[in-house]
Amino acid sequence: MSTDEVGLATDHEAELDRLRTKKEQILYALDHMPRGSSVEDVRRWLSKKGQQVPARSYAAPIVNDWRARNGITDTSGHIPLTPELIAKLEEAEAAALADTFAPAEPDPGPGHSPATTEPAGAKGFYLVALLSIGVSVDTSWRFFEQRLGITDTWERVALFSVMEAALVACGWAMRGGVRRDGRPGPARLVAWALTAFAAFAALSLSGPVAGTARVLLGPVLGLVMLHLALGIEIRATRHKTTTWARVGRELRERCLSLLGLGDDHRDALARTRDRAALRAAKLAIASRWTPFRTSRLRKALHASHVAHDTAQRDRMLRELGVLQHAKKLAETNQPSPW
């Protein structure tokens, strides 16, 4: 602390000692402290000056009254909004709006499309596709010589690999179609047509056994590997909504419902116990001539877990009541719906 500060503190202490009441000391502190000081600031300031610290309940009304007379509002510890601070906030808001409505970066164009990720193991798929096309190339080489009668070597070199090149082109076109609109397009049909022709050539050349091996290890395997390497899914990724797709889904749901496997949020144990409870209710009202009725009833009761599950026991009793009084259903009087 400098000499001037020591002298100023001594002057404050001397002046405070001359004041007679606590109220006068509080007002003196407010006059000599920074504007906006709180009640706790006043109490700490008086404590540093060696004065008896007034109670908060006593000092608060005096401080609030002094604030009101001097036009100072209580900010509860927050920074007061001065004109300078308001101007800075307006500048920051204007800068934020300028950044928000700034023009977007220009489109890099079709030649600079964003990079797309290849499927995992793409290089391995390419290698297998290349090897499988080698099998197809061997089949085409022999087919052109033995079946088409093209014996000139250079002529065969120029013509025999046309199918393999077409397969690669179809795979590339399918990749572009899937990435563009999610559909492989007509290239997939052409690729499978070429595969069918390769199957004909292999079977014609080597017979059913060796020809089948040439087909599976040649164009079929190559096409599948191209699908995987180029990131093409054999099945369309979109949800099919054709008529046959709806018929298939409906038949599937009905079959699952007949088997008791419909999606009703029950697990396998709950389904087993529910079936056992229904079976127990049916056996309870069955005739005495039902084969092994008693043993089957005991087994069903045990499987339904009705001895330990109150809800399951109530379910079984409700099933039994419905079955016992099924004949009275037609006798129930119902009000007319019209």
Side-chain angles (χ1 to χ4, degrees):
M1 183 179 293
S2 63
T3 305
D4 295 338
E5 292 177 349
V6 172
L8 184 60
T10 305
D11 294 340
H12 286 317
E13 293 176 1
E15 187 66 28
L16 288 170
D17 290 337
R18 286 195 294 269
L19 298 176
R20 297 181 179 180
T21 62
K22 295 294 181 184
K23 181 177 180 180
E24 293 177 349
Q25 292 180 349
I26 294 173
L27 294 176
Y28 178 85
L30 290 171
D31 291 335
H32 292 83
M33 290 178 63
R35 293 176 63 86
S37 299
S38 63
V39 177
E40 293 300 326
D41 294 336
V42 172
R43 297 176 73 229
R44 283 194 296 268
W45 191 83
L46 291 175
S47 176
K48 290 180 180 180
K49 298 301 183 284
Q51 303 298 320
Q52 185 178 0
V53 179
R56 180 179 178 83
S57 58
Y58 176 80
I62 301 174
V63 174
N64 293 335
D65 181 66
W66 184 87
R67 284 174 174 274
R69 285 188 283 104
N70 290 272
I72 301 175
T73 57
D74 187 6
T75 59
S76 301
H78 299 288
I79 300 175
L81 291 176
T82 60
E84 295 80 6
L85 182 58
I86 293 175
K88 291 182 179 180
L89 291 175
E90 290 178 350
E91 292 178 0
E93 184 178 1
L97 290 175
D99 294 338
T100 303
F101 294 100
E105 296 183 359
D107 188 6
H112 300 80
S113 58
T116 54
T117 58
E118 292 184 350
K123 294 182 179 179
F125 293 149
Y126 278 120
L127 178 61
V128 176
L130 181 62
L131 296 176
S132 64
I133 288 179
V135 177
S136 180
V137 165
D138 180 76
T139 302
S140 298
W141 178 269
R142 297 176 186 275
F143 180 78
F144 271 72
E145 179 185 9
Q146 299 179 17
R147 293 294 183 267
L148 299 183
I150 302 177
T151 57
D152 184 71
T153 303
W154 293 108
E155 187 178 1
R156 273 191 292 166
V157 169
L159 299 178
F160 81 100
S161 61
V162 61
M163 184 179 65
E164 287 71 25
L167 282 174
V168 174
C170 288
W172 196 264
M174 291 163 65
R175 178 199 190 196
V178 167
R179 294 194 173 188
R180 183 177 61 254
D181 54 11
R183 298 180 180 181
R188 180 170 61 177
L189 180 61
V190 176
W192 285 111
L194 291 173
T195 302
F197 174 77
F200 163 75
L203 293 174
S204 175
L205 180 65
S206 303
V209 178
T212 302
R214 282 181 176 272
V215 173
L216 294 179
L217 297 177
V220 173
L221 182 60
L223 186 58
V224 172
M225 291 298 104
L226 281 175
H227 273 78
L228 297 176
L230 299 175
I232 299 174
E233 297 181 359
I234 296 178
R235 292 186 177 181
T237 56
R238 67 185 187 281
H239 185 68
K240 296 182 179 179
T241 57
T242 61
T243 302
W244 289 110
R246 290 197 298 269
V247 170
R249 287 196 299 270
E250 183 68 21
L251 291 176
R252 181 187 61 192
E253 294 297 332
R254 293 195 180 190
C255 291
L256 291 176
S257 178
L258 289 175
L259 295 175
L261 300 177
D263 187 10
D264 54 358
H265 306 288
R266 291 185 301 168
D267 55 11
L269 181 60
R271 288 192 176 95
T272 301
R273 290 178 176 177
D274 291 345
R275 292 176 185 174
L278 178 59
R279 189 164 59 251
K282 291 181 178 179
L283 289 172
I285 62 173
S287 64
R288 293 182 301 172
W289 307 106
T290 303
F292 307 103
R293 173 177 173 271
T294 303
S295 60
R296 290 168 59 191
L297 177 59
R298 291 174 180 173
K299 185 177 179 180
L301 290 173
H302 177 72
S304 62
H305 206 64
V306 294
H308 308 283
D309 192 343
T310 305
Q312 197 66 29
R313 182 166 60 251
D314 294 340
R315 181 186 182 91
M316 188 267 295
L317 292 176
R318 287 195 298 269
E319 293 282 1
L320 179 61
V322 169
L323 295 176
Q324 285 178 340
H325 303 284
K327 295 181 179 180
K328 297 182 179 180
L329 179 61
E331 301 175 2
T332 304
N333 294 324
Q334 294 293 325
S336 175
W338 314 114

